[in-house]
Structure formats: structure tokens, C-alpha cells
Amino acid sequence: METKDDKGISRRAFLKRSAAGLTILTVSGVPTLLRAQQPSIKIGAVIPLSGNYGFLGASERCGIGLAIDEFNSKGGLLGRKVEVAEEDCATDAALAIRKAQRLLQSEKVNFFLNGGGSSVSAAMADFAKKEGAVDMCIDPNSDILTGEKANRFFFQVPPVNYQIAHTIAPYVAQNIGKKWYYFTHDYSWGWTLTESCRKFMKEKGAQEVGESKIPLNTRDFSSFLLKVRGAKPEVVMVNVAGADFTAMVEQMYEFGLHKTAKIVIPLEDFEDAWAVGPEKNSIFTLMGVEWHYAIPGVPGINEFVARYKKLFPRASYPVPTTNSYNAYMGLRELLRAVERAGTLDAPKVIKALEGHAVKDSLKRDPTLIREWDHQFVQDFYYFRPKKKKDMKDWTDIYEYVGYGKGTDNAITKNLSQARMEKLPGE
Amino acid sequence: MLVVDKINSFYEEAHVLFDVSLEIEKGEVVSLLGRNGAGKTTTVKSIMGMVRPHSGSIRFKGKEILGWQPYLIAREGIGLVPDERRIFGNLTVEKNLEVGRRPERRGEWTMGKVYQHFPQLKKLKDRKGENLSGGEQQMLAIARTLLGNPDLILMDEPTEGLAPIIVEEVMRIIRELKETGITILIIEESSTLALSISERCYMMDTGKVVYSGMASELLENPERRLALLGM
Amino acid sequence: MPSGIDFLSQGINGIVLGLLFSLIAIGFTLMLGVIGIINFAHGVLFALGAYFAFTLRNSLGFWAALIISPLLVGLIGIIIERLAVRRMYGKDALFCLLLTFGIAMSGEELIRMVWGKLGHSIAAPAFVSGSIDLGFMLYSKYRLLLAVLSALILFLVWLFLEKTSYGAIVKAGAQDSEMVAALGNNISRMRTLVFGIGSALAGVAGVIAAPLWSVRPGMGNDAIMPAFVIVVLGGIGSFWGTVIGGLAVGLSVSLAVMFFPRMSDLVMYILAAVVLLFWPRGIMGEKSILED
């Protein structure tokens, strides 16, 4: 029996058309399957191009570019070209996840790279696990990323606060001073760094004479700086980062804090030092730096720097920084693991990464990709400001003092909160 | 000097002046009388440009000034001593006077002459406006307007709210000004006072001019006056 | 318990900051008191002052930038007033608020387009770079200069308002602009001038504050928020109210760091709320246009 609606289309005809439509839609899913066999391998890069950490994004892009160029210039990965699809997370976790979703669904990326601060990365860690997509985390230093957030799909490239504190604090206690004052950036990164520093400070017989928690987006540090004076510290530990750090350095210089105490910054980004300029940066006695292009006695660094300059003659920074380095390392090792595994299948790639030792780490010691917390266990350096007369050019701001081995200073299994889940089939 | 010809003024939508006309010759003192709400102040505001009549004409010294901005009308030579005096309370007496000065209009009234003529103001020159008594404020308002060397002064209710002894003082000043030959339009609710110093008068009721004539006539005819006042 | 010297050093710092806050707020107060408008664009004018100085300083030096930049901002203020703001006089205060808010937003975007979105830190001029030993504490040389400049400019504003005849007209205009017009003064031009002066004051505050707080496209907030608080605290349209309000904010922020450091940002708002409880019109406030 036929029923007609007022447009004169019979119901049967309508159903036929719908069925045809559905079939076409399903069949068009075949190209989706076929796409997995398509020429290029896609990396989804969710990085900060604006917002509080926007300046990091520029450096990270260069690192990503270097890794991709390395593979594509040698015929690609598994015979296929490597491409990157970039999205700006603007240092916002919710935005980052939306963009990652889009990258996964529309762009059909195979793997992820993420940066933009601890909250973005914490969210991406959950996302990676949920979606079963491997994600390399390239800029934050928060302990939870290799602690409670650690999972099989998420890999942490930069060292975390525990290791940083473990490298810097003992050196400072032994060589610089015993009475410490902390400036703690008033959010989780700042708190955990100070906590870790305290632990090692006490172990080495130094004592805390005071702390000021610096609220985010503080513009005026004058009152904090004047307050320090009363505590009469020998050492001031600056656990503050980003735009607040830049303003703070200006004002520390203005108030002559370096004339009355030795200022230490356990974690400094070249980009921040660049922003304040070498004269102001020289108020520091010691600076913890993950990587620097002029670390002496490391093979391969000069070639790496030369390649950077050739590929990016007009980059925001004329030399690669820690953030370019971490982005490069993270992506390069991911791609190498894919090569070793011979497949894009996530569990196999994961197993190719876990336990792997990276010999050409561009640091003194090889970097170990630890299987029980997925930390890239790498060396951590410390420098003092280079005197102006010794500087070869204005990027040559750091003078080498020493370093701590990743294997000596990274958190040990018994202290770690990391609990890795089993992959299907294990 | 001033010819107001059939002006019709409105407050918002309300028609408040109906074909109001009046004239003032140079050197005259003319009074404008009527009950509260008759339209006297609106007439003054219309002349001063603070209210813009929708029709009619206002000619001052031969020029059409209807539609002019108040400040230009003041500069042309009309001075306003408003009802409620409107002294600048946050300024001193001296500063109040300074705001009234119009150096481009040359004339006899300078700060020096004002202080000479109003010695009480000189004594009070550093006192803030808001700390003056009603009578002192009235004197200040008049002096302030005089500093603009106006050709025509519009005085709106100069004796309102003042004690009798102060009223006498104010009237004395107005008489002295009259002696100097200055042209004055004085608005008063108290008709006796106004009539005593003016030659001619107009009377208004509900937005219309209802009488125009010699002041002496009304003075001698109190019943007529009361009838016109509608009491 | 902090020592006497701690109080003294925070106190001095508080006064220095307070003078800067007063300077930041004075232009805003003038516009509100005299013209009766809430100028949301005050922050972006402050930012423009800083950005112009940033650009001019390299070619012309600190002092030239200090004088030229506010003049440019004043000019922009006059243009804004003539083209847009004056159409809002006599209308509901809300219209002016929305207009100046729109100007603020687009101004900030314009700054981003012209100067880029990254911030820049500005060095203090070389002759006041670094610290000076005051005996009991080391203090920033630039901040001392800043205090002197702020006090000087505030003094010039006071001089203008109190001692010049035009200043008397401006003050009278704040109270009764209709009467001022009836006495032969061109109120329209006066409003334009006051807007221009208020803008120039915002601009000069920006120039002076830049080495302290660095220039960023969003730096207008460093100015507009304290300006609001100070005007509320000190009373609308009052010169001394603004100065006292500014000092109160500066001191409370500095001293707060000694006792409630994590609240130092909030302290100015708490202070304003407390003051309003007892003096709803602010410490020196008078009934203003906003209350009608």
C-alpha cells in the first residue's frame, strides 16, 4: 500500500532513497579505512601559540620541523611522508582537548604531541589514554605527569620538578648558601617545586628562613622584595615562571636584591632570559637549564644547531632552545619507535619506546625512556651568567657550571605514584 | 533693546508658553509678574537660550538670538541672575566672581569695582560659596553677573527666601544699579517690590501675557492687581 | 611581627605606589566629575601612552617621550570626544559606558595589530637604573623618580584647578554647567578640553608606569581597575579624594604583603567595600551626577 505525503513522494520511494543514502555513507567509510594506507603519517601537535605560554609555541614548532625534516629527507617513515597538523591550545586545557578531538576525528592524526603547561598536558594525558593515541608531552615539568597521570599512551619528555630540585638544591646548599628564602609561584607547579627543593635542602643541612607565595599575574613585586630583606637570606630560590618571572627579574634588579643575597632559579627558559636581556639576567648566581646549545663536550650539538639555523633563518630565536630540543627529541624518538616497530599500531609503538636508550641524546649521557613511568630520563644542567666580555654573541648567555645525571636524580620507583595499566593482550 | 515676539516654548511635550511677547527699551527697568507656574522663569530661560522656543522671535540689539547657545547670548550682552542663585558652592567667592568675568566685553565692572561696590563680598572673598548665607549668595550672584558687563540683566526672584532686612539690602542694590542706567528685567512673585522699582510691567498667567502696562497703574489699583494675579 | 624598619620600607613603597595610582586615577576622576562620564577607555589611553613612549624612546629619549607621548594621547582623546563621546552627553549614562567600552576593546585590538601581542619589558632610563642605598634599605632609583614625577604632575593639576581662572570654570562646570554657560563660557569646548587633559593624564601615567609594569596589549586593566576603586574610595570628582584614595590603595597593597601576601591583589577592593559601608560617597565625595 502506498501512502503519499503532500510533496508527492511515496513512502516506499523515500525509504529506498534513504537506504541508498545510508549505503553510500557506509561505503564512503571505506575510503576512511583506505586512508590508513594513504601516503602520509600525520602528527597532531597541540601546542601553545598564544596565551601565557605563547612564546614557547614558536620554539616548539622549530623542534617539530627539525624532526620531520630529518625523516622526510631520508625517504620518510615506513616509506611514507610525515606531516604535522598544528593547533593552538592557547594554554587552555579545555580548548586543547577540543582541538585534539578535531585533529583525531577530522584530520585523522596517528599520534599526538602536546605542550602548553601542566594543566593542558594533564588533560591530554587522560585524552591519550581514552582515545588510545600515543601522545608525547614536550614542555611542562609537573610531577603528576609521571605520577598519578602516568599511563601507557602518554610520554613525558622534559624532566619533572622532583629531578630538577634533586639536581639543583644539593649543589646550592653545598656551594652557595645555607639560609634560603623561597619565592613560590602560587599554583601547583610552584608549590611542588618548592616542596621538592625543601626536601633536598633539609637533607643537605640548609634551612628555610621564609617564603612568599607570588599570586599569578602579579604586576608589582616591590612589597615582596622589600619583605625578603627582613629575613636576611643567603639564597633566594625563585620558583616563578612565565610573564610574572620577566616582571619579577626587572624588579629584583631595580631593588638590588642581588646585592644582598644570591639568587637562584632552578628552572629557567632561554626564552625568559632572552626577554629580560643579559644584563638583568646576570642578577642570578645559578640557573637550572634543561638544555643549551653551547653545552661543552657533547657530540652532535653543533650539527643540530647548524641544521636549525639553515631550516629556520627567521625564527623568533636565532638558536634552538630547550623547547625546540624537547619537541625535536619527543617527535624524533616517536618516529624512530614507529620505525623500529614497523607499524603504526599504538601498543607496538609503545613497546618500542619503553625501555629504549637514546644514545644520540645531544646531552652528555644517553636518555632512557623509562617503562614504568614513561619519563625520558635525561640530564639536567646548571649554569651561571656569562660575563659580557666572554660572550661570543648575544645568545651566548650561559656559562657551564655542571649537571646532574638523569639516572641519579629522577624519582625512584618506590617514591613514585605512577601505576601503569595493562594494554589489551598483555 | 529686547523684543520678544510671540514665542511658544515647551518642556518636553508640554506647551508652556503661548505666544508670549514683551519688549524692553534701553535703560528701562521692567518687571514680569505672576503666580508660581505662570511661565515667568520659562520666559527668562527662553530668552537666555536654555529653553528653545518652537516658534516666534527674540531680537536683542537688533539681532535675532532665538536658537543661539546660552553662552553666545551671554557674550552678546544678556546677563542672568537666576532663581535659586546657583552659586558655585565648591568655589570661593573670589573664584565665583572670576567665572563671571568676560574680559572681552569691556565695561565699568572689574573685580576692583565689584569689591568697592560690595564691600561685604570683599570681606568674604575666600569663603566657599556653600558657606554663605542666603543674602550673601544673592549679592554674589548679582556681582558675578555684573562682571560680565551685560547690557541687559535678567533677575529671577532676587528676594526669594530672604529675611526682610536682607530684602531691603538687595532692593537697595538693584536701585543703585538702576541709577547706573543698566537695563533690567526683574521677575518677582512679590509684586509690590517689583512694581516699586520698575516703570513698566507685564503680568503672566498660565503661560500667557495677560497684562502689559505702567507699573504705577497697578500699584494704585490693588484690586486689579489681585484679579490679574488670579487670587 | 614585622619590625619598624619593615613597616617603614613598605610604607615608603606604598606611598610611591600610591602616588602612581593617584596619577592613574586623576584623569578618570576629572572626566567623571566635570563631564559626568564613566570613561572605560581610560585603560586603553593609559596603554597608548606607554606604547607611544616605547616607540619614541629609542629615537628621542626618555624625556622627549615623556612629553610627546601624553600630547599624542591627549590629541586622540580630543578626537574621540569630538567624534563620538559628545553625542552621549545628556543621555543615559549607560550609553557612554557602552561607547567607551567599545573604544577600549577596539583600542586594545588596534594595539595588538600595530605593536604585536607579546609584551615588552621597558628598561628604566639609564640615569635611574638599579638601586640606591637609603641606609636602612635598598630602593629602586626609578621608583623615586616616578614618585617625584607623579607628585609634580598632580601638583600641576591642582595648580590648574585651584589657581587659574579656567580651572575655576572647570570646577564650576562640574557643579552646574548650565550656569557656567549662562555666564558666557563655551561648555562644549570646555568638555573637549577636559577630555583631552584627562586623556593626556592617562597617557603620562602609562609612560611613567611602563618601566615598572612592562607594556602588554592588555595593560589597560592595570589602570582602569585601580581608577574605579580609587574614585569610589575617594569620592567622585574630588581632587583630594583621588590623591587620598590613591595613597590608601598604594599603602594597603604594600602593607598587605606583610600580613596577607596572597591577598595583596584583592586588598584594594576590600578596602573600597569597607569604606563604602561607612562613607557611601567615598571619603571626600559629594553628590554626583551619578546619583540623579
Side-chain angles (χ1 to χ4, degrees), chain A residues 186 220 222-223 250 254 259, chain C residues 10 13 17 121 131 140 262:
Chain A
D186 202 0
D220 199 307
S222 51
S223 313
E250 294 275 341
E254 259 190 274
K259 295 185 189 166
Chain C
Q10 294 291 10
N13 194 40
L17 284 177
S121 77
S131 55
S140 153
R262 299 167 90 176

Side-chain angles (χ1 to χ4, degrees), chain A residues 151-390:
Chain A
N151 65 69
R152 300 298 290 278
F153 293 89
F154 183 82
F155 288 85
Q156 169 70 10
V157 178
V160 296
N161 283 343
Y162 183 97
Q163 180 186 342
I164 295 170
H166 198 179
T167 312
I168 300 292
Y171 181 87
V172 173
Q174 275 158 349
N175 300 291
I176 298 182
K178 295 267 187 242
K179 299 213 255 182
W180 295 17
Y181 193 99
Y182 290 95
F183 282 136
T184 305
H185 218 171
D186 202 0
Y187 70 111
S188 59
W189 171 80
W191 303 332
T192 48
L193 183 55
T194 295
E195 265 315 300
S196 298
C197 286
R198 270 190 185 121
K199 176 174 139 74
F200 298 112
M201 165 193 78
K202 287 189 200 134
E203 278 179 21
K204 297 295 174 188
Q207 62 174 142
E208 179 175 337
V209 295
E211 181 193 15
S212 282
K213 289 202 168 68
I214 312 285
L216 282 161
N217 296 317
T218 299
R219 285 283 109 229
D220 199 307
F221 299 87
S222 51
S223 313
F224 294 109
L225 293 171
L226 289 171
K227 193 176 171 192
V228 173
R229 201 206 49 85
K232 294 197 190 359
E234 290 167 357
V235 171
V236 173
M237 297 292 279
V238 179
N239 295 343
V240 173
D244 294 348
F245 166 79
T246 325
M248 198 177 186
V249 171
E250 294 275 341
Q251 291 172 33
M252 285 196 278
Y253 176 83
E254 259 190 274
F255 282 82
L257 185 66
H258 51 299
K259 295 185 189 166
T260 56
K262 294 199 166 29
I263 314 182
V264 172
I265 176 150
L267 183 64
E268 181 175 80
D269 274 311
F270 180 89
E271 290 87 345
D272 287 335
W274 182 262
V276 298
E279 194 191 337
K280 302 253 168 72
N281 204 47
S282 59
I283 61 168
F284 291 108
T285 303
L286 194 76
M287 301 160 284
V289 180
E290 291 182 43
W291 183 87
H292 183 52
Y293 76 92
I295 306 175
V298 172
I301 272 196
N302 294 333
E303 290 82 353
F304 178 67
V305 176
R307 264 206 306 137
Y308 175 98
K309 288 186 175 172
K310 184 153 168 250
L311 262 179
F312 307 109
R314 275 190 305 272
S316 309
Y317 304 98
V319 290
T321 67
T322 298
N323 298 295
S324 309
Y325 168 82
N326 280 330
Y328 167 76
M329 269 297 145
L331 185 54
R332 188 189 79 180
E333 289 311 308
L334 170 66
L335 298 175
R336 282 182 183 179
V338 171
E339 206 165 44
R340 286 196 298 278
T343 165
L344 296 172
D345 178 46
K348 296 206 172 67
V349 173
I350 290 169
K351 293 207 187 79
L353 278 166
E354 288 171 345
H356 180 72
V358 181
K359 293 203 187 62
D360 53 343
S361 63
L362 298 176
K363 290 190 173 179
R364 288 270 180 97
D365 302 293
T367 291
L368 170 68
I369 304 176
R370 222 156 47 176
E371 81 276 6
W372 54 266
D373 67 353
H374 284 195
Q375 170 77 61
F376 273 52
V377 179
Q378 38 174 323
D379 296 340
F380 187 78
Y381 290 83
Y382 38 94
F383 299 87
R384 69 170 70 93
K386 212 168 207 187
K387 291 201 188 37
K388 203 155 180 195
K389 57 181 173 65
D390 299 327

Side-chain angles (χ1 to χ4, degrees), chain A residues 48-63:
Chain A
L49 295 165
S50 63
N52 199 21
Y53 293 121
F55 60 96
L56 295 181
S59 296
E60 289 166 5
R61 228 187 220 160
C62 295

